[in-house]
């Protein structure tokens, strides 16, 4: 086996091993147990025997029978830090009924064996102890039930969290509006689910039929752009000529001489501005027309690629499941990442908070950077999962393209592509995703700094930050596109990431105009398709929600439906875009190394073959025209004028 492949695969194993080591660290140090089973304000983990912590009172207790965490004042929430500041205790049972007096607390403890006051207080003395005000729960104690899995006693009536909710939902001034919106969502949940399914179905159908409407969409789009630029340029020139001929008397009431002087200045400035606008628009229109003239053949290539991409989805219908698989993988990873992040929040050394006197667990020394490392892992592995999707799709499309007889395709090209990815190319996608991570993380850091300094930095610093963020965003998009083509080159040649990226870059540079046409026109057509799906789903939603007379209840359901439909359309049509890009790279390689002669037959589809033949016919016609011009020029040069006086008698 190629040692480069072994090295690449080992890099991916190291990445996953490091992510797993963080989870293992939290489990070994007890952070996972403290999160799941809960712990009290003295550092004791509920449901188990604890070791004493030096310098902290009431530690080392046996809580084997006390499996639930109970907060003395669950409504005491720190809105800024988003955590409960109340003292927490381990108890045997959560109070299912409201306890209004200290006698009720005593009776509950004596009957159920669950003491709700601090450990050093005897249950039978609750009503008469002076410490009961600070070390017993705030009365009345609301009924609560244990939270599934995490063993926290949670109030059944969550009205005490209204203050926290109010701080989170700050965009609603009238609570009645929020209640009506939520009521509208609750009443329309079946319609919302149905419309989401409709968006899903429309996206899958459009991926197949877009090849039939792509030509119409492309030419309509091209015509609208050209006509719009011509119309805009004409309007600007008309305004300029109208201003020069007639002008506009917009000056205020002033003495006649001052008025004439101001009018002349304003007229000159306005005329000059209109002239600049008109000339700029004319230059833009001329450049656009020239580009359309030179790129009209390449527009036909875009249409042909869309046509072949539709055929790909007919032969490889499982490609439509790729967004589901990718979303599931991302969802599982994000759940794992959040769990490990919560584990890290309860890991570390016990420290006593000087302000509250409660015991908290914090990471110290080099371990305090584990959270940042964990955040880097979130970006890297998310990009890695997306890269695996791109590599899988690229492998399946390459197999389709370079199989001459489509009836002899493998039974499961996508499964074969996945197996090749796992066996040979994990390191390739790990490198590609790591490069994106190296660009994305600085951009995210700069965005965070920009948000933190909003309103406090000077104009130069703000512009500099925005320029850096914009440049990094552009670099990230370029690298994403290059990576995607590098994965396709890897699927074709089975080369390493760097070699594939170099080969793909050379191919793209050699076909720069074609790439520009496909990206400009193809991306806009796909954007229109996304808008079509979103608007169709929204229109269906308006028809289905029409029976509700309170039109304010439409707002939130329609927003949810529109956002979900656009997201679904984006996910599915992104797969279509990847297919088009991979087909183009295959087409460019096919035309570079093959010419259709015996022994060098093309692999391409009939639609692409027709495009090649049409281009060749146009090329031959142009060549014949140039040869005729050369012959005419050469004949004219050979004709010598007759010298004067040499005519025959």
């Amino acid at each position: 086996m190629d040692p480069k492949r072994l090295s690449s695969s080992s890099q991916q194993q190291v990445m996953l091993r490091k992510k797993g080591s963080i989870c293992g660290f939290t489990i070994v140090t007890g952070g996972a147990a403290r999160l799941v089973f809960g712990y009290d304000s003295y550092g004791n983990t509920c449901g188990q025997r604890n070791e004493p912590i030096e310098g902290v009172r009431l530690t080392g207790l046996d809580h084997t029978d006390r499996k639930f965490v109970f907060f003395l004042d669950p409504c005491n929430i720190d809105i800024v830090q988003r955590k409960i500041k109340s003292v927490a205790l381990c108890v045997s049972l959560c109070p299912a009924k409201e306890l209004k007096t200290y006698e009720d607390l005593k009776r509950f403890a004596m009957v159920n064996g669950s003491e709700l006051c601090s450990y050093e207080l005897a249950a039978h003395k609750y009503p008469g102890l002076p410490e009961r005000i600070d070390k017993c729960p705030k009365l009345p104690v609301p009924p609560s039930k244990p939270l599934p899995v995490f063993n926290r006693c949670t109030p059944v009536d969550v009205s005490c969290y209204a203050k926290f909710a109010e701080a989170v939902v700050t965009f609603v001034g009238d609570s009645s509006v929020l209640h009506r919106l939520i009521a509208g969502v609750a009443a329309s949940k079946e319609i919302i689910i149905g419309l989401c399914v409709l968006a899903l179905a429309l996206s899958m159908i459009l991926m197949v039929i877009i090849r039939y409407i792509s030509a119409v969409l492309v030419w309509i789009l091209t015509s609208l752009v050209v006509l719009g630029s011509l119309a805009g340029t004409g309007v600007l020139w008309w305004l300029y000529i109208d201003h020069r001929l007639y002008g506009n008397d917009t000056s205020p009431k002033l003495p006649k001489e001052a008025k004439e002087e101001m009018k002349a200045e304003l007229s000159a400035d306005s005329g000059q501005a209109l002239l600049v606008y008109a000339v700029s628009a004319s230059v833009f229109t001329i450049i656009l027309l020239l580009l359309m003239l030179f790129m009209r053949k390449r527009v036909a290539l875009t249409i042909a690629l869309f046509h072949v991409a539709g055929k790909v989805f007919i032969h490889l219908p499982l490609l439509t499941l790729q967004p589901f698989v990718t979303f599931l993988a991302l969802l599982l990873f994000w759940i794992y990442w959040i769990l490990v992040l919560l584990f890290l929040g309860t890991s570390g050394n016990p420290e006593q908070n000087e302000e509250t006197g409660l015991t908290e667990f914090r990471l110290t020394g080099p371990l305090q950077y584990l959270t940042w490392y964990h955040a880097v892992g979130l970006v890297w592995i998310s990009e890695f999962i997306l890269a695996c999707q791109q590599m899988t799709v690229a492998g399946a499309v390459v197999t389709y393209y370079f199989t001459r007889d489509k009836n002899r395709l493998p039974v499961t090209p996508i499964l074969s592509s996945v197996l090749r990815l796992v066996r040979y190319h994990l390191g390739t996608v790990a490198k590609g995703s790591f490069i994106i991570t190296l660009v994305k993380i600085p951009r995210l850091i700069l965005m965070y700094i920009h948000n933190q300094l909003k309103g406090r930095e000077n104009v130069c610093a703000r512009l500099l930050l925005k320029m850096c963020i914009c440049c990094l965003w552009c670099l990230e998009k370029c690298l994403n596109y290059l990576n995607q083509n590098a994965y396709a080159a890897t699927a074709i040649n089975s080369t390493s990431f760097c070699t594939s990226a170099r080969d793909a870059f050379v191919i793209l540079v050699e076909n720069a105009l074609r790439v520009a046409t496909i990206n400009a026109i193809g991306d806009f057509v796909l954007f229109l398709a996304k808008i079509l799906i979103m608007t169709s789903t929204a229109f269906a939603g308006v028809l289905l929600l029409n029976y509700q007379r309170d039109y304010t209840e439409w707002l939130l359901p329609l927003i949810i439906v529109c956002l979900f439909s656009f997201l679904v359309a984006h996910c599915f049509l992104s797969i279509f875009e990847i297919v088009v890009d991979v087909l183009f790279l295959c087409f460019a390689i096919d035309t570079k190394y093959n010419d259709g002669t015996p022994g060098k037959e093309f692999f391409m589809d009939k639609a692409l073959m027709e495009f090649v033949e049409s281009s060749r016919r146009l090329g031959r016609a142009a060549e014949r025209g140039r040869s005729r011009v050369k012959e005419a020029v050469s004949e004219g040069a050979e004709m010598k004028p007759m010298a004067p006086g040499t005519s025959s008698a």
Side-chain angles (χ1 to χ4, degrees):
M1 186 180 292
D2 190 351
K4 291 183 179 179
R5 290 177 178 170
L6 285 174
S7 175
S8 299
S9 180
S10 63
Q11 289 177 2
Q12 174 60 17
Q13 292 174 6
V14 168
M15 179 181 70
L16 295 177
R17 192 180 300 121
K18 287 182 178 179
K19 289 298 294 179
S21 65
I22 297 179
C23 183
F25 168 78
T26 59
I27 293 175
V28 171
T29 57
R34 281 189 286 271
L35 176 70
V36 175
F37 299 115
Y39 63 98
D40 61 19
S41 297
Y42 310 104
N44 300 298
T45 303
C46 300
Q48 66 183 37
R49 187 186 297 273
N50 296 275
E51 297 294 330
I53 301 174
E54 184 178 356
V56 181
R57 66 187 185 90
L58 299 177
T59 60
L61 302 179
D62 185 3
H63 285 333
T64 306
D65 297 329
R66 299 176 176 180
K67 301 181 182 296
F68 305 105
V69 179
F70 176 76
F71 298 97
L72 299 188
D73 186 6
C75 298
N76 186 8
I77 300 174
D78 185 350
I79 295 177
V80 177
Q81 300 295 330
R82 296 182 296 277
K83 64 180 181 180
I84 297 175
K85 296 167 62 177
S86 168
V87 174
L89 301 173
C90 294
V91 299
S92 304
L93 186 67
C94 299
K97 297 182 179 179
E98 186 180 39
L99 306 178
K100 298 181 179 181
T101 64
Y102 291 106
E103 286 290 343
D104 292 339
L105 288 177
K106 172 185 173 182
R107 190 177 305 108
F108 180 79
M110 302 302 292
V111 173
N112 300 294
S114 183
E115 301 176 356
L116 303 183
C117 294
S118 187
Y119 303 134
E120 69 267 26
L121 302 183
H124 64 281
K125 297 182 180 180
Y126 283 170
L129 291 175
E131 302 96 332
R132 66 183 186 277
I133 297 176
D134 297 327
K135 298 186 178 180
C136 286
K138 184 179 179 181
L139 297 178
V141 179
S144 60
K145 60 181 180 180
L147 191 69
V149 180
F150 292 102
N151 301 321
R152 268 73 169 177
C153 293
T154 308
V156 176
D157 183 9
V158 294
S159 60
C160 67
Y161 299 132
K163 186 178 179 182
F164 181 69
E166 181 183 350
V168 175
V169 188
T170 56
F171 62 91
V172 179
D174 184 6
S175 60
S176 62
V177 175
L178 178 61
H179 293 158
R180 287 161 63 192
L181 292 176
I182 295 175
V185 174
S188 310
K189 56 182 180 298
E190 294 85 2
I191 296 176
I192 293 174
I193 294 173
L195 291 173
C196 292
V197 174
L198 175 63
L200 191 64
L202 288 176
S203 301
M204 298 177 71
I205 293 171
L206 190 61
M207 290 171 68
V208 178
I209 68 170
I210 196 172
R211 66 187 179 118
Y212 300 110
I213 62 175
S214 58
V216 177
L217 288 176
V218 167
W219 289 118
I220 289 176
L221 168 65
T222 305
S223 302
L224 288 177
V225 170
V226 172
L227 292 176
S229 61
L230 288 173
T233 303
V235 168
L236 287 172
W237 279 113
W238 176 78
L239 290 174
Y240 172 71
I241 294 173
D242 180 71
H243 185 273
R244 288 292 303 271
L245 292 177
Y246 304 105
N248 292 314
D249 189 7
T250 58
S251 58
K253 294 182 179 180
L254 295 171
K256 186 175 181 180
E257 296 180 359
K259 185 176 180 180
E260 292 294 335
E261 183 179 354
M262 180 177 290
K263 183 177 178 180
E265 292 178 0
L266 291 174
S267 178
D269 293 340
S270 300
Q272 187 176 4
L274 283 173
L275 179 62
V276 171
Y277 297 154
V279 170
S280 301
S282 300
V283 172
F284 173 78
T285 302
I286 292 172
I287 294 174
L288 181 64
L289 291 175
L290 291 175
L291 286 175
M292 291 296 179
L293 179 64
F294 287 111
M295 297 171 68
R296 66 187 187 281
K297 300 178 185 177
R298 296 168 181 84
V299 173
L301 175 60
T302 304
I303 297 172
L305 288 173
F306 271 60
H307 185 79
V308 178
K311 289 185 178 180
V312 170
F313 283 98
I314 293 177
H315 285 88
L316 307 176
L318 292 181
L319 277 179
T320 57
L321 298 180
Q322 282 299 305
F324 295 106
V325 176
T326 304
F327 176 75
L328 180 61
L330 286 172
L331 182 63
L332 292 175
F333 168 67
W334 289 339
I335 292 174
Y336 166 80
W337 187 87
I338 291 173
L339 283 176
V340 175
L341 181 65
L342 294 175
F343 291 166
L344 284 173
T346 54
S347 299
N349 300 320
E351 293 184 1
Q352 197 163 18
N353 191 315
E354 297 180 358
E355 181 182 352
T356 61
L358 308 181
T359 301
E360 299 174 353
F361 290 88
R362 295 177 181 174
L363 296 170
T364 57
L367 295 178
Q368 62 183 323
Y369 301 108
L370 275 180
T371 305
W372 291 102
Y373 178 80
H374 191 54
V376 173
L378 171 66
V379 179
W380 187 4
I381 298 185
S382 297
E383 292 293 335
F384 173 80
I385 294 172
L386 294 174
C388 286
Q389 172 188 266
Q390 294 174 358
M391 177 65 84
T392 301
V393 174
V397 174
V398 166
T399 301
Y400 170 85
Y401 186 95
F402 288 104
T403 301
R404 298 185 188 277
D405 186 1
K406 307 305 180 188
N407 295 321
R408 301 183 63 182
L409 284 169
V411 179
T412 55
I414 297 176
L415 181 60
S416 302
S417 179
V418 172
L419 294 177
R420 287 195 299 272
L421 165 65
V422 174
R423 185 175 181 183
Y424 299 117
H425 304 312
L426 283 179
T428 298
V429 293
K431 286 181 180 178
S433 57
F434 182 68
I435 291 174
I436 300 299
T437 303
L438 291 179
V439 178
K440 178 169 285 188
I441 288 180
R443 181 173 66 85
L444 294 176
I445 293 175
L446 290 178
M447 290 175 64
Y448 175 77
I449 294 174
H450 181 265
N451 290 330
Q452 292 296 314
L453 297 178
K454 187 172 292 184
R456 287 181 288 180
E457 77 278 18
N458 56 37
V459 178
C460 293
R462 184 168 62 252
L463 290 177
L464 184 61
L465 278 174
K466 288 184 177 180
M467 287 176 58
C468 293
I469 293 171
C470 182
C471 292
L472 288 173
W473 181 83
C474 294
L475 179 60
E476 181 183 337
K477 293 300 178 184
C478 294
L479 289 175
N480 260 322
Y481 184 72
L482 181 60
N483 279 358
Q484 181 178 307
N485 286 277
Y487 301 147
T490 299
I492 295 172
N493 301 319
S494 294
T495 50
S496 64
F497 174 78
C498 295
T499 304
S500 299
R502 181 198 62 199
D503 296 341
F505 181 76
V506 171
I507 293 293
L508 294 176
V509 170
E510 292 175 351
N511 298 269
L513 288 178
R514 287 177 173 176
V515 172
T517 306
I518 292 171
N519 285 333
I521 298 178
D523 288 354
F524 195 81
V525 170
L526 293 179
F527 174 75
L528 291 179
K530 297 173 188 177
I531 297 298
L532 175 64
I533 292 173
M534 185 182 71
T535 53
S536 301
T537 308
F539 179 71
V542 171
L543 295 179
L544 292 175
L545 293 169
N546 189 40
Y547 69 91
Q548 297 183 6
R549 297 301 179 189
D550 190 356
Y551 295 113
T552 57
E553 296 182 2
W554 287 21
L555 180 61
L556 197 54
L558 279 180
I559 290 176
I560 293 173
V561 167
C562 290
L563 290 177
F564 183 83
S565 59
F566 188 84
L567 178 63
V568 169
H570 175 73
C571 292
F572 278 89
L573 293 178
S574 294
I575 299 296
F576 191 92
E577 184 179 0
I578 294 173
V579 171
V580 171
D581 290 338
V582 175
L583 284 173
F584 170 72
L585 191 68
C586 295
F587 170 78
I589 293 175
D590 195 10
T591 54
K592 182 176 182 179
Y593 296 103
N594 299 312
D595 55 10
T597 58
K600 291 187 176 182
E601 294 85 358
F602 289 121
F603 288 90
M604 65 185 66
D605 186 85
K606 182 180 178 181
L608 292 173
M609 190 77 74
E610 291 175 355
F611 167 78
V612 172
E613 292 298 329
S614 175
S615 300
R616 286 182 173 180
R617 286 195 298 270
L618 292 174
R620 286 194 293 267
E623 186 64 29
R624 285 196 298 268
R626 285 194 293 269
S627 63
R628 289 174 182 173
V629 171
K630 289 180 180 179
E631 290 176 1
V633 171
S634 61
E635 289 177 1
E638 292 175 358
M639 295 177 62
K640 302 293 184 181
M642 190 176 295
T646 59
S647 58
S648 58

